[in-house]
Amino acid sequence: MLLPGYGGASLAEVPRSLLAALGLREPNALALERADRVCLFLVDGLGAELLRAHPEAAPFLTSGMTARTLTAGFPATTVTSLCTLGTGLTPGEHGMVGLMLAVPGTGHLLNCLRWTHPDGLTVDPGEWQPATTVYQRAAAAGVEPVYVGPAQFQGTGLTRAVYRGVRYVPADSVDDRVARVHEALRERRPAYVTVYYGDLDAAGHMTGWGSEEWLRQLALVDDMARRLAEGLPPGSALYVTADHGMVNATEKIDAESVPELADGVALLGGEARARHVYAQPGAAGQVLDAWRETLRGKAWVVSRQEAVESGWFGPHVRDAWLSRIGDVVAVPHTDLAITAPARHRIEALFTGYHGSLTAAEQHVPLLEVRP
């Protein structure tokens, strides 16, 4: 088991260290050097282990720049890591502790990525994630943060939860994103610009990391990073990081059709590599025992209390977020995916998955380029 290095070299240190590099009074745990303008290039799914395995597809990212390895945090998934990068807090502090989480008192799950929930249930992003973001702190200090990303994500629930305080600049093509980043960096000083690319993760899910399509996407990411670096104004710094890595599943278990995994379960949340299992009243112990026995040798299966006390979500979990964590948390350590095809058909068809505590999923790069 690879526990995230909270308080050390983790994603939670990145946003505060970037603000410190811009001269704001924030902790600089990563000891980043001073810069007048900072660009953070966030590549969805660019695991450090995955990048090191294919230097031929990413010559710019794997040669000649300052590089270090961080841990993503648990679970190693987009919603959790984006909130960590947006707040500088650990999952146990910001509360985005999984992809699909039980909304307390409703008997329903919230998909925190798509912000989907049953009709009649309203989840306010500002109440679900109430912490002040690093972007709000930057704006209060006189630095206007800019986020460059796909138009479809502007104004979504997740964006409102984790990117409050940014000026959102929609840009769909790579060319447009590179151009908008360079414009934003030149508009004012100091400047703090984040740009997002998600197609590498999408290719990994559908065809597997290391596949021909994934390698094509990695080459596109490498070229985009090179172009971003080439257009940096003097006194700037480009940082490249990711939200998680990935593994290719070689085995799948349908948790809905295996009686030992279905009995006593009220809601099956999380995702295939980081399951939050919410038990029916009085059944938590039975569910824990059944999942442990069924997944023995394939997954770490712990109670909510064990996950919290072991520091999976960070050194502290707010009391208000405890009920979002499953009564049972199941995390494969082999290349197993725990699927739910009846409710989540597309996810069950994936090749690549992430979320667990393995190095391939937890390790992400932090690469630095200066003109």
Side-chain angles (χ1 to χ4, degrees):
M1 181 186 302
L2 173 74
L3 285 178
Y6 299 118
S10 74
L11 275 184
E13 307 300 340
V14 171
R16 293 174 293 187
S17 294
L18 290 176
L19 294 186
L22 286 168
L24 277 64
R25 300 185 66 178
E26 295 273 351
N28 191 359
L30 297 176
L32 302 185
E33 294 182 17
R34 187 77 168 82
D36 294 327
R37 301 173 175 93
V38 164
C39 175
L40 179 66
F41 181 20
L42 174 58
V43 184
D44 202 320
L46 184 66
E49 312 279 326
L50 284 55
L51 178 61
R52 281 194 286 267
H54 289 285
E56 77 288 350
F60 179 75
L61 291 175
T62 56
S63 61
M65 64 179 67
T66 302
R68 66 184 92 184
T69 299
L70 310 178
T71 53
F74 180 75
T77 197
T78 300
V79 296
T80 303
S81 293
L82 290 192
C83 201
T84 296
L85 286 168
T87 61
L89 301 175
T90 62
E93 294 169 321
H94 60 60
M96 203 77 80
V97 292
L99 172 60
M100 291 186 293
L101 300 176
V103 181
T106 69
H108 295 294
L109 295 169
L110 169 68
N111 183 317
C112 297
L113 183 64
R114 305 188 183 280
W115 218 259
T116 54
H117 41 71
D119 291 341
L121 177 65
T122 300
V123 180
D124 185 301
E127 294 180 1
W128 188 259
Q129 197 299 100
T132 301
T133 69
V134 292
Y135 312 110
Q136 291 172 310
R137 299 207 295 272
V143 179
E144 182 192 47
V146 174
Y147 181 89
V148 180
Q152 66 177 353
F153 298 149
Q154 186 172 12
T156 65
L158 178 61
T159 296
R160 289 157 55 201
V162 305
Y163 289 123
R164 286 193 299 274
V166 302
R167 174 163 63 89
Y168 197 106
V169 177
D172 289 327
S173 71
V174 170
D175 288 348
D176 282 348
R177 285 182 216 179
V178 171
R180 299 295 86 76
V181 167
H182 289 159
E183 289 171 3
L185 288 173
R186 286 179 167 82
E187 278 178 352
R188 62 188 67 198
R189 187 177 60 183
Y192 181 21
V193 181
T194 301
V195 57
Y196 171 83
Y197 187 82
D199 290 351
L200 181 72
D201 179 66
H205 280 308
M206 299 313 300
T207 62
W209 82 270
S211 67
E212 183 176 338
E213 174 58 20
W214 187 88
L215 289 170
R216 187 181 76 83
Q217 284 295 327
L218 179 59
L220 289 174
V221 166
D222 191 68
D223 185 63
M224 185 173 171
R226 179 188 58 78
R227 293 170 62 188
L228 287 169
E230 287 177 349
L232 291 176
S236 302
L238 169 67
Y239 292 93
V240 183
T241 194
D243 49 354
H244 55 74
M246 185 172 284
V247 299
N248 293 337
T250 57
E251 180 185 4
K252 297 182 182 182
I253 291 179
D254 177 357
E256 296 171 317
S257 65
V258 177
E260 293 82 359
L261 299 181
D263 290 348
V265 174
L267 294 170
L268 185 64
E271 57 195 294
R273 296 279 297 172
R275 282 293 177 197
H276 286 279
V277 187
Y278 304 93
Q280 295 171 357
Q286 164 205 327
V287 171
L288 177 61
D289 290 344
W291 277 66
R292 274 182 173 160
E293 181 60 31
T294 304
L295 300 178
R296 187 178 303 278
K298 298 179 180 182
W300 298 293
V301 180
V302 300
S303 68
R304 173 191 294 136
Q305 182 177 352
E306 289 169 330
V308 170
E309 291 179 351
S310 296
W312 285 16
F313 302 100
H316 176 257
V317 177
R318 289 183 55 188
D319 288 345
W321 309 148
L322 287 173
S323 58
R324 296 182 184 181
I325 300 170
D327 295 286
V328 174
V329 184
V331 184
H333 51 73
T334 64
D335 292 336
L336 168 70
I338 306 169
T339 64
R343 297 173 190 167
H344 308 289
R345 183 180 64 86
I346 300 301
E347 183 196 39
L349 297 174
F350 285 171
T351 298
Y353 294 88
H354 53 78
S356 184
L357 292 162
T358 70
E361 294 156 279
Q362 280 290 324
H363 283 164
V364 296
L366 181 66
L367 312 175
E368 181 181 353
V369 186
R370 290 177 181 256

